[in-house]
Amino acid sequence: RRPERAGPGAAGPDRQQQRDGRQHRIVGAPPIHHRRGGVDRLLGAPSRAHQDQRRHVLRSHLAPGVQAVKKILTTPIKDEDLESLNAGDVVYLTGTLITCRDVAHRRLIEQGRDLPVDLKGGAIFHAGPIVRQKDDGEYEMVSIGPTTSMRMEKFEKEFIEQTGVKLIVGKGGMGPLTEAGCKEFKAVHAIFPGGCAVVAATQVEEIEQAEWLDLGMPETLWVNRVKEFGPLIISIDTQGNNLIEKNKAEFNSKKTEIVKKIHEQVGFIK
């Protein structure tokens, strides 16, 4: 038999119940307003001054009366669509997005095999999706998260040159070969946030085609129709500017001083 609850806090997290003639405190789910801002409770809420400063910084990027515009690239992508993009910009993609990773790059570059899809003006995604085949034989995207782009670094410049691809999406940054390819052939590399693979699948309207199924699910070229797929953070622009390398250099320049300060506080760490 469930014991009866008593006390003024019976409906809240601090309610009391009577059991065996004694009062017992019951800890339940906190009220909804206590569940918000979990990060702030763990790390400490930012000061009001800091919040106001952040709002000022956000507002200062736009002229008075100007609202931010959502930048959407639509395939086929033209050179002029990319000219105004800078490393660090956020864009979305509507149109066709084809998953294309390690083996597809090797087949084209190392083996000289033609791709079974036309990538001119197109977009590829370094990804290994999870796909479900439905009863009617059609395919359904379950999860589509990025894989590490740097694995394709040694192929990417030549890949861009041979295919005419304009947008490369993946996880993490890429290196000098991709920088050179993007600058010479007017393409961009963008980062899709990690940990959002299931959300990304909701932005896939339909899997229109599947090529090279012999490679297995992760390596198959899945031809997806997407709508406002993103956010995509431009990491390398058509000028060869590399956001990740720039940030690494900036962070490393600050590292020595920060490590020195930490060491002064915890000198027992060698």
Side-chain angles (χ1 to χ4, degrees):
R1 186 173 64 88
R2 179 175 296 178
E4 297 180 1
R5 296 175 182 171
D14 199 25
R15 64 183 182 271
Q16 304 285 322
Q17 78 173 17
Q18 188 80 19
R19 189 174 64 201
D20 299 329
R22 301 171 65 181
Q23 288 287 109
H24 295 268
R25 180 173 179 267
I26 296 179
V27 178
I32 187 66
H33 65 279
H34 287 176
R35 299 177 215 165
R36 297 181 179 134
V39 173
D40 287 348
R41 292 201 306 277
L42 287 173
L43 304 180
S47 66
R48 179 59 181 269
H50 180 63
Q51 292 176 351
D52 291 343
Q53 183 183 29
R54 285 191 301 179
R55 293 190 188 100
H56 172 72
V57 170
L58 291 173
R59 287 194 297 264
S60 66
H61 282 75
L62 298 173
V66 176
Q67 294 183 343
V69 177
K70 190 174 186 179
K71 176 66 175 179
I72 299 174
L73 296 175
T74 303
T75 57
I77 300 169
K78 303 178 180 64
D79 289 356
E80 50 266 33
D81 297 332
L82 305 177
E83 289 175 351
S84 63
L85 295 180
N86 298 306
D89 288 353
V90 175
V91 300
Y92 295 79
L93 177 70
T94 292
T96 301
L97 177 64
I98 302 174
T99 61
C100 184
R101 47 184 285 165
D102 306 65
V103 180
H105 282 70
R106 294 186 65 181
R107 280 188 171 182
L108 175 67
I109 306 303
E110 293 184 344
Q111 300 177 11
R113 296 178 59 174
D114 292 334
L115 293 178
V117 292
D118 183 9
L119 291 178
K120 187 174 182 180
I124 64 170
F125 193 11
H126 296 155
I130 297 174
V131 178
R132 176 192 298 122
Q133 189 168 22
K134 299 185 289 187
D135 293 338
D136 59 5
E138 298 295 316
Y139 293 102
E140 177 185 19
M141 189 63 68
V142 176
S143 171
I144 180 168
T147 194
T148 303
S149 286
M150 189 58 79
R151 293 203 311 277
M152 274 57 76
E153 168 64 13
K154 70 176 183 177
F155 304 118
E156 211 66 84
K157 179 182 179 182
E158 194 172 350
F159 189 94
I160 296 170
E161 180 181 10
Q162 289 194 30
T163 63
V165 68
K166 290 299 177 184
L167 173 64
I168 302 158
V169 182
K171 179 170 68 176
M174 299 194 75
L177 292 177
T178 306
E179 290 175 19
C182 288
K183 185 174 183 178
E184 184 174 351
F185 305 109
K186 301 305 176 188
V188 296
H189 177 268
I191 297 171
F192 183 84
C196 302
V198 175
V199 175
T202 66
Q203 299 169 349
V204 175
E205 294 186 317
E206 183 182 356
I207 298 177
E208 298 181 329
Q209 188 179 342
E211 300 290 346
W212 284 351
L213 285 164
D214 60 297
L215 298 179
M217 186 183 297
E219 297 281 356
T220 292
L221 300 177
W222 300 101
V223 182
N224 307 282
R225 186 175 74 247
V226 299
K227 183 175 181 180
E228 296 189 11
F229 186 89
L232 308 174
I233 305 165
I234 301 298
S235 69
I236 300 177
D237 59 28
T238 56
Q239 300 303 311
N241 299 312
N242 192 321
L243 176 68
I244 301 301
E245 292 304 315
K246 176 186 175 183
N247 286 346
K248 282 165 63 176
E250 180 181 346
F251 300 153
N252 284 330
S253 70
K254 301 175 182 177
K255 183 170 66 176
T256 301
E257 182 180 353
I258 293 172
V259 170
K260 181 180 178 181
K261 290 181 179 179
I262 293 174
H263 187 70
E264 291 173 355
Q265 300 295 324
V266 287
F268 58 89
I269 297 179
K270 302 297 183 183

